[in-house]
Structures are given as structure tokens and as C-alpha cells.
Amino acid sequence: MLGTDCGSALPTRLRQAGLEVIRRKGWLVERWATAPRFTHDYVRDLLAYFASVAPGYALPDADQAYWRELRERPDRLIDDPDFCYREFFVVAVCRI
């Protein structure tokens, strides 16, 4: 499964699948406050997921407290005037 963090691994996976990678390009996309509704909702759901799995990790108490608070009030982070969400996209051109 590729997942949301596979960008830089994409050319390797394509090569392993038998394709010849001709060129690849990556670029960073930044989404700053005030986040559009679709970004706000996506990041809120992403934070909810991370907060739900945090108790299963051996994190310091302060980190666990941070994730608990974020689970209860995710908008606190997303609505911050300095909020920034970054994504990295990769396009790979291949041939068989």
C-alpha cells in the first residue's frame, strides 16, 4: 500500500515493478491559515487519527498530554493564524 507518505519512494516502487523511470519531479505544497474548509476538515481528521493511535506509543508524558488535548480540541491548531500544512507530491514519468 502506498499511503500518504510514499512520494519519494514512488520511483523505486515503479522501478521494482519493472518500469524504467525516465524522469521524476517533486514539489512542496504549503497550505497556510486561514485553511480552506476542505483542508481544515482533512487535517482535523488526520489529527484525530494520530491522536487515536498516540496512546499505543511509548511517548513522553508531555507528548501524550499534547495529543490528548489535540484530540479534544483539534481546531486550536488548525485555526491558529500561523497554521501551515505541507504536502509533498511526486510525478514520475516511466516507460515499460
Side-chain angles (χ1 to χ4, degrees):
M1 181 188 265
L2 293 176
T4 59
D5 297 320
C6 74
S8 58
L10 186 59
T12 300
R13 290 174 183 249
L14 292 168
R15 207 172 6 270
Q16 289 171 345
L19 300 170
E20 177 187 358
V21 177
I22 298 170
R23 66 182 171 270
R24 58 191 164 215
K25 168 119 177 89
W27 67 98
L28 179 68
V29 174
E30 294 181 331
R31 303 178 195 282
W32 290 89
T34 304
R37 176 56 42 193
F38 62 89
T39 300
H40 183 281
D41 293 349
Y42 173 76
V43 172
R44 186 193 60 229
D45 292 348
L46 192 61
L47 292 173
Y49 169 73
F50 289 150
S52 75
V53 298
Y57 289 89
L59 298 173
D61 291 343
D63 289 357
Q64 290 290 356
Y66 176 84
W67 283 109
R68 271 193 306 277
E69 181 182 346
L70 203 52
R71 181 179 58 237
E72 294 165 11
R73 296 179 42 225
D75 293 337
R76 178 185 61 84
L77 178 66
I78 303 167
D79 293 337
D80 186 291
D82 294 319
F83 169 78
C84 180
Y85 178 70
R86 294 179 179 96
E87 298 175 277
F88 187 75
F89 295 92
V90 173
V91 171
V93 177
C94 303
R95 75 172 139 219
I96 297 176

